[in-house]
Each structure stands twice: as C-alpha cells, then as structure tokens.
C-alpha cells in the first residue's frame, strides 16, 4: 500500500517511490471524526491512486487537512464528513486560499471514491468546479548576465576548493595508520575516518580510548577531516547549481538521477536519463564540461557512497547532513541562502542573490536561444521554441496572421528553390538545355549574352540577377558568401568556373577536417553535397582534370574573411 491509514492513534504511513517511508501523526486534532475521514482521503490521494508523488506534497496536504479540521471546529462543527453541508463547505472555500480548496476537495473526492459517505448535494459540489482561482503567475525571469557570471564563478571556485581538499585528504588517509596504536594525527585520523565513514566525534574518541571531551581537549575536533573526506549538503550545492546551469535539467529531474541513468556516449560525453515531473522520462547527451563535472562529483562522493545504506548507494546525489548522517542531497532554501552568504553573492539590487533552481533552466534556455540564430519572439523564457510553437503560437490579429503566412510562404519558396537542379551549361548540353533555362530565369537576349560571355560572373558562377535580393536587400548587390551560390537558383555554372568550384571543394574538405561533424553538417554540408553530387558530375571529366591543375588548395585562392580561414590552407 502506498499509504496506510492508522486509526489509533490517528495517522498514516506513506511510502513513495524513491523516498524513505514516513509517518504522519494527526491524533492531536480536535475533531477526530472529521480528521479520520480526511486522513483516509489523504491516503487515497497518494501515488499511484492519486496525484501525490513527493513527501513535500503530502505534507502540504497534511497542513491543509489540519487547517480545515481546526477551522470547522471553531465554527462549531463536531461531526464527520457525512455530516458536511453545502453551506458549510461553500463558506469555508470562499474564504480560503486556492490551494486550500484544491487540497481539501481532492481529499474529499478520494474519500468518496473509496468509501462513499457524502450526501448527494455535497458529493455533486465536491466533484464540481473550484470556487477560487489561482493567482496569475508571472514567468520566472532569467538571471542578469552579471548575476549569472558571479553565480557560475562562485560555483566553480567552491568546487575547485573542496575537490582539492578532498584529494589531499584522501591521499593523506592512504598513508595513515590506526590511531589507536600509532597515535593521533591528521594523517591517522583520516585513515580512521575513511574506514568508519562520517562518524561522530564520540565514535572516534571511543576508538582511541578517550571520552569526547578529553579527545577534543587534547587533539581538537575532527570536523575538518570529515568535511574534506565526505561532502556535505553545502559542498554538494555548487555541483547541483552548476549542473542545472550547464544542462537546463529541472531540479526534481536532477535530484532523482541514479547511477543506472548514466551511460558514456563517447570519450567526453555522457547520456543522462532523468524524469521531468510534467512530462515523463527524458534523456540528454551532456556537453563535455557537464560530463566532466558529473564525473568529478561521482569521484568526490565515491568514499561516502561506500558507507551509504543500500537504499542510497545507487543515488547520484548523496551527502552528509547536520546530524552527520548520510542522506539524499538537500538543496533547499536555507542551504542555498547559507551558501550565498558564505560567498557574499549579491544581485543587481545589492541584496543577497536569491537562488531559485528553476531559474537556472530559464537562464539556460535564454542563453541557448542567444547562442543560436533565431528570430523568435519570447512568449515565456521557460519554454523551448518547440513548446511555444506547439502550444502558444497563434496569430491574434489579421496583420499578425498575414506576417506568419508570408514567413511560411517564403520558407516554402526557399525549399522549392533549393530543390531545383543547378543550371550547368557547356558545349555539349547548351543547345538542348539552354532554352529551358532562359525561360526559367526570365532572361532577354542582351542579358543572355552578358551571362554567357562572363560579364555577370561572380566568384563561383554567373549570376542572372545580382540585384534580385534573394540573400540581401532588393536592389543592392548580393552580399552572399561564395558557397551560397551553389544553392542559389539564379546561378549558372559554366566550364570557366571549374577552377573556383574545385577550390571550394578543397575548402570544404579542410573545414570538414577542422570542424566538429555536427557543426559542419549545419554550416557547409548542403553546399558541399550540391557541389559534389549535382554540379561537378555534370562537367566532362577531361575538363575537371584540366581545371584541377590550376588549383593549389590554399585559402588565398578564395575571397575569405579572416574568421573563415582554415589552418590547413594557410600556406602563404
């Protein structure tokens, strides 16, 4: 059973997936008849029978349950749920917060579903629509660039500090001996702590045959040893913050990761599976820096994991709490506020920086949108472009609808232009193919003569209309880079362009060797494919071979900008 009702004393024991069982004691409430019915409804609302999947959610329902019982008792109500009236519930819900009404409705619905006790008028109202509505919610704002930089820098500095201390103390422990025989020192103390785990001062003092007070008076404390060997919640906080900042994974998704959810997908990248509460299981290929950070945390917590109980050993995020016990890592408000205070972090307003881990995802998405070329208008920075397009993008006015339709029309026309076969002319095919190309391009006799004589040549091809505005302002010379002509429907390729086409082919080969494959696929692959598969094969092999002799395979043969030069072709 996910939740078991206990009537004497009144309470419940809750078992949620991935969490330790816990109990709630409600025997102190004034009206135990109503409380017992609501506790039964609370038990029926726990996953998988209801929506409650987290201990925090169950405790929030407990709080609303207590409030309802006490408020009804103040109003003179002494009966059970079967004695509730529509007037009493309406009066209570209208003066209550939205969440109080939602939670108490849910408990009454679960009670009625499992054991019908409500009168028919009350039952119809309980399963009806809420009287109150949630307050308007403003989307979480991304952190300001300066705040973000300070937060990331503080995380990296803190991680570097604690990781260095951990490595030093681990090496010290390997060279130590049992302090019960060899005497107490930091080296021998580290040796003992590595074998005992995050032990208390009493346990360490007992091992060396002293009381705690005598041990601390003679040798001092062991907190510095324990802190260096076993990460605490404060030491785990920067790891969690930086993982959220570098991956965009929601806080509950990070907290629930197990060792079995991590798979290596290369030398520097990990495939991480996690659960997002509102969707389901998701997976993400981590960047090299996020993979390195997660790998370092696994090393940092490896010694602690050896001493963890079996139910925690497979969790990625474990730490020691203030009671020196091993527990799931907790990064709640008080931990983050203390961490911020320790590092003196401040926001743009000069106040201590307020850290909301959900805003890490918001900032991650906002920065990702800035790194990639995008013209999308931000509806909510917490949504990805796909989510906004699927659920929120709807033209509201005729003018907006016209703009969207024009964008769609332009995109479709661009796809059709790219699908058009390139115009390649030579002595063998000109007579048969040129009339069709002239009609497609809409050229007159004078323009055709200029095109064939080379007067309209650009670097890669002959352009039938340099002022058409396909890649820039209409009426202005085309600003496109040389390789863009390979996909342009206005380009005409003749044998005299073969040397430059082969120079571009060599340039693509150098870029393929220098760039990551994913980046090359986005930037140059469409042009390289068109050149190799549709343009060069249309020319006779002797002409291609003859043109190859004019190519030196160097960057200075092409009109490139400084940032477009390749290391392999820089021989000048």
């Amino acid at each position: 059973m996910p939740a078991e009702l206990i009537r004497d004393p009144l309470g419940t024991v809750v078992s949620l997936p991935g969490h330790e069982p816990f109990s709630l004691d409600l025997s102190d409430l004034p009206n135990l008849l109503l409380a017992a019915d609501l506790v039964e409804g609370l038990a029926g609302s726990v996953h998988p029978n209801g929506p409650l999947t987290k201990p925090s959610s169950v405790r929030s329902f407990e709080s609303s349950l207590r409030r309802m019982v006490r408020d009804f008792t103040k109003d003179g109500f002494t009966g059970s749920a079967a004695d509730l009236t529509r007037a009493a519930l309406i009066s209570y819900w209208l003066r209550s917060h939205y969440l109080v009404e939602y939670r108490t409705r849910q408990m009454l619905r679960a009670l009625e579903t499992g054991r019908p006790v409500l009168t028919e008028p009350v039952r119809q109202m309980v399963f009806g629509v809420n009287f109150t509505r949630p307050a308007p919610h403003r989307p979480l704002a991304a952190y300001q660039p300066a705040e973000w930089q300070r937060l990331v820098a503080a995380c990296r500095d803190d991680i570097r500090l604690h990781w260095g201390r951990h490595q030093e103390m681990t090496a010290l422990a390997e060279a130590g001996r049992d302090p019960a025989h060899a005497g107490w020192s930091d080296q021998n103390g580290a040796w003992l702590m590595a074998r005992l785990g995050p032990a208390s001062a009493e346990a360490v003092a007992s091992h060396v045959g002293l009381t705690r007070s005598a041990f601390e008076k003679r040798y001092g404390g062991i907190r510095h040893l324990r802190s260096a060997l076993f990460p605490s919640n404060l030491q785990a906080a920067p790891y969690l913050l930086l993982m959220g900042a570098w991956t965009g994974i929601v806080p509950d998704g990070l907290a629930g990761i197990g060792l079995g959810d991590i798979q290596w997908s290369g030398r520097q990248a990990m495939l991480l599976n996690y659960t997002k509460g509102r969707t389901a299981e998701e997976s993400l290929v981590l960047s090299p820096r996020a993979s390195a950070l997660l790998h370092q945390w696994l090393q940092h917590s490896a010694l602690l994991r050896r001493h963890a109980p079996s139910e925690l050993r497979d969790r990625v995020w474990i730490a020691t709490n203030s009671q020196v016990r091993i527990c799931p890592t907790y990064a709640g408000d008080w931990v983050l506020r203390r961490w911020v205070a320790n590092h003196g972090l401040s926001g743009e307003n000069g106040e201590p920086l307020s850290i909301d881990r959900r805003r890490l995802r918001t900032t991650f998405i906002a920065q990702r949108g800035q790194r990639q070329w995008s013209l999308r208008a931000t509806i909510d920075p917490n949504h990805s472009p796909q989510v906004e397009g699927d659920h929120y993008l709807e033209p509201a006015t005729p003018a907006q609808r016209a703009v969207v339709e024009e964008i769609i029309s332009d995109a479709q026309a661009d796809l059709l232009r790219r699908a058009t076969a390139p115009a390649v002319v030579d002595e063998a095919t000109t007579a048969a193919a040129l009339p069709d190309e002239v009609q497609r391009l809409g050229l007159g006799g004078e323009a055709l003569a200029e095109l064939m004589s080379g007067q309209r040549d650009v670097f890669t091809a002959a352009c039938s209309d340099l002022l058409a505005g396909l890649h820039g302002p209409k009426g202005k010379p085309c600003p496109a880079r040389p390789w863009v002509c390979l996909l342009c429907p206005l380009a005409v390729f003749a044998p005299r362009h073969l040397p430059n086409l082969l120079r571009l082919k060599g340039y693509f080969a150098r870029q393929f060797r220098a760039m990551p494959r994913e980046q090359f696929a986005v930037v140059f692959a469409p042009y390289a494919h068109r050149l190799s598969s549709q343009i060069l094969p249309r020319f006779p092999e002797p002409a291609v071979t003859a043109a190859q002799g004019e190519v030196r395979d160097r960057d200075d043969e092409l009109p490139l900008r400084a940032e477009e030069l390749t290391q392999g072709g820089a021989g000048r």
Side-chain angles (χ1 to χ4, degrees):
M1 290 287 292
E4 179 183 357
L5 174 64
I6 301 174
R7 294 192 177 273
D8 189 18
L10 181 62
T12 182
V13 177
V14 182
S15 301
L16 293 171
H19 300 277
E20 295 183 1
F22 62 96
S23 60
L24 302 176
D25 182 6
L26 296 108
S27 59
D28 58 330
L29 292 175
N31 183 358
L32 293 181
L33 291 176
L34 178 59
D37 288 339
L38 292 177
V39 171
E40 186 176 346
L42 173 60
S45 301
V46 174
H47 178 81
N49 301 322
L52 305 184
T53 59
K54 300 178 182 177
S56 58
S57 301
V58 175
R59 296 190 185 280
S60 66
F61 268 64
E62 177 201 7
S63 175
S64 296
L65 185 156
R66 289 178 176 276
R67 177 175 176 176
M68 180 176 180
V69 173
R70 291 185 176 125
D71 287 350
F72 268 73
T73 301
K74 290 180 182 178
D75 293 341
F77 183 83
T78 58
S80 65
D83 302 316
L84 290 172
T85 63
R86 288 172 58 94
L89 283 175
I90 290 174
S91 174
Y92 178 68
W93 283 338
L94 285 177
R95 68 177 189 261
S96 299
H97 186 269
Y98 161 75
L99 287 175
V100 173
E101 179 184 356
Y102 162 73
R103 293 164 185 161
T104 51
R105 271 186 187 269
Q106 173 60 39
M107 287 185 280
L108 289 173
R109 288 172 181 172
L111 170 66
E112 183 69 9
T113 301
R115 182 171 62 88
V117 297
L118 303 178
T119 62
E120 183 60 24
V122 172
R123 190 191 71 82
Q124 291 181 3
M125 188 179 67
V126 165
F127 283 89
V129 180
N130 281 29
F131 292 115
T132 54
R133 294 287 184 269
H137 171 70
R138 294 186 63 184
L140 292 172
Y143 282 104
Q144 295 296 321
E147 294 176 333
W148 184 255
Q149 292 174 7
R150 289 196 295 269
L151 175 60
V152 171
C155 289
R156 300 181 73 167
D157 292 343
D158 203 27
I159 289 172
R160 192 179 300 113
L161 173 66
H162 292 300
W163 173 240
R165 290 177 178 174
H166 177 78
Q167 288 181 304
E168 293 175 2
M169 194 59 68
T170 303
L172 202 64
E174 292 177 355
R177 293 184 295 167
D178 189 346
H181 306 291
W184 182 263
S185 66
D186 279 355
Q187 179 172 299
N188 294 339
W191 179 94
L192 177 63
M193 294 287 289
R195 283 151 182 79
L196 291 181
S200 62
E202 289 84 352
V204 173
S206 175
H207 182 84
V208 297
L210 296 172
T211 63
R212 175 176 177 174
S213 59
F215 176 85
E216 291 181 345
K217 184 176 181 180
R218 184 180 301 180
Y219 301 117
I222 61 170
R223 184 174 299 176
H224 65 292
L225 301 178
R226 186 170 58 220
S227 174
L229 289 172
F230 307 109
S232 64
N233 283 317
L234 272 177
Q235 294 177 19
Y239 281 97
L240 278 169
L241 293 175
L242 208 52
M243 279 296 295
W246 284 352
T247 63
I249 299 177
V250 292
D252 56 341
L254 273 180
I257 296 172
L259 296 180
D261 298 322
I262 303 172
Q263 301 176 16
W264 282 101
S265 57
R267 294 183 179 180
Q268 293 183 323
M270 288 180 177
L271 177 64
L272 189 64
N273 299 317
Y274 65 96
T275 301
K276 185 178 178 183
R278 288 184 297 174
T279 54
E281 291 189 359
E282 299 187 5
S283 60
L284 175 69
V285 178
L286 301 184
S287 62
R289 64 178 182 178
S291 299
L293 178 66
L294 184 56
H295 182 64
Q296 181 174 312
W297 167 254
L298 293 177
Q299 291 179 297
H300 198 157
S301 59
L303 183 58
L304 180 65
R305 204 176 306 280
R306 294 182 201 167
H307 301 282
S310 57
E311 64 270 16
L312 296 178
R313 201 164 294 159
D314 290 334
R315 282 177 170 265
V316 169
W317 302 104
I318 59 174
T320 59
N321 59 19
S322 56
Q323 288 79 36
V324 200
R325 295 177 182 173
I326 304 175
C327 62
T329 300
Y330 175 74
D333 289 341
W334 73 268
V335 172
L336 296 180
R337 285 198 300 268
R338 183 178 172 188
W339 185 82
V340 166
N342 290 346
H343 292 82
L345 288 178
S346 60
E348 292 296 286
N349 57 2
E351 298 292 328
L353 181 64
S354 175
I355 297 182
D356 186 334
R357 291 173 59 201
R358 297 171 299 173
R359 290 181 67 189
L360 300 179
R361 174 176 171 82
T362 302
T363 311
F364 173 83
I365 294 175
Q367 290 194 341
R368 184 178 61 186
Q370 294 172 0
R371 289 193 300 266
Q372 299 173 352
W373 181 82
S374 173
L375 292 178
R376 76 182 185 97
T378 300
I379 298 172
D380 185 339
N382 303 288
H383 296 147
S384 67
Q386 180 177 352
V387 170
E388 290 188 351
D390 291 344
H391 301 286
Y392 298 95
L393 184 59
E394 181 180 355
T397 66
Q400 291 174 331
R401 190 175 293 108
V403 171
V404 172
E405 290 175 354
E406 183 179 354
I407 293 172
I408 295 173
S409 177
D410 289 345
Q412 292 175 339
D414 185 61
L415 289 175
L416 290 175
R417 287 194 298 267
R418 287 170 177 255
T420 304
V424 179
V425 297
D426 57 32
E427 290 78 0
T429 61
T430 295
L434 192 55
D436 293 336
E437 292 298 333
V438 170
Q439 184 177 2
R440 179 180 70 83
L441 297 172
L443 298 176
E446 183 178 351
L448 179 61
E450 293 177 355
L451 193 70
M452 298 305 297
S453 64
Q455 297 181 43
R456 296 196 176 194
D457 275 8
V458 290
F459 181 81
T460 308
C463 183
S464 59
D465 189 354
L466 194 62
L467 308 179
L470 289 185
H471 307 292
K474 194 168 184 177
K476 298 290 183 68
C478 179
R481 308 302 298 136
W483 48 84
V484 175
C485 298
L486 299 174
L487 287 174
C488 184
L490 303 179
V492 178
F493 304 96
R496 64 179 181 273
H497 302 122
L498 270 173
N500 286 344
L501 292 173
L502 293 174
R503 292 182 180 109
L504 275 177
K505 183 179 180 181
Y507 177 70
F508 292 150
R510 296 194 298 274
Q511 288 286 17
F512 180 79
R513 292 191 296 267
M515 298 171 65
R517 292 189 178 185
E518 295 81 2
Q519 186 179 1
F520 181 85
V522 173
V523 179
F524 292 116
Y527 308 107
H529 175 73
R530 170 65 72 96
L531 177 61
S532 299
S533 64
Q534 299 184 33
I535 297 177
L536 290 179
R538 300 273 296 275
F539 291 103
E541 289 189 12
V544 175
T545 304
Q548 189 67 54
E550 304 179 29
V551 178
R552 293 176 295 171
D553 197 18
R554 287 166 47 171
D555 285 348
D556 56 6
E557 296 180 299
L558 293 92
L560 299 176
R561 297 169 181 163
E563 65 271 16
E564 296 168 348
L565 298 176
T566 63
Q567 188 173 1
R572 298 192 174 200

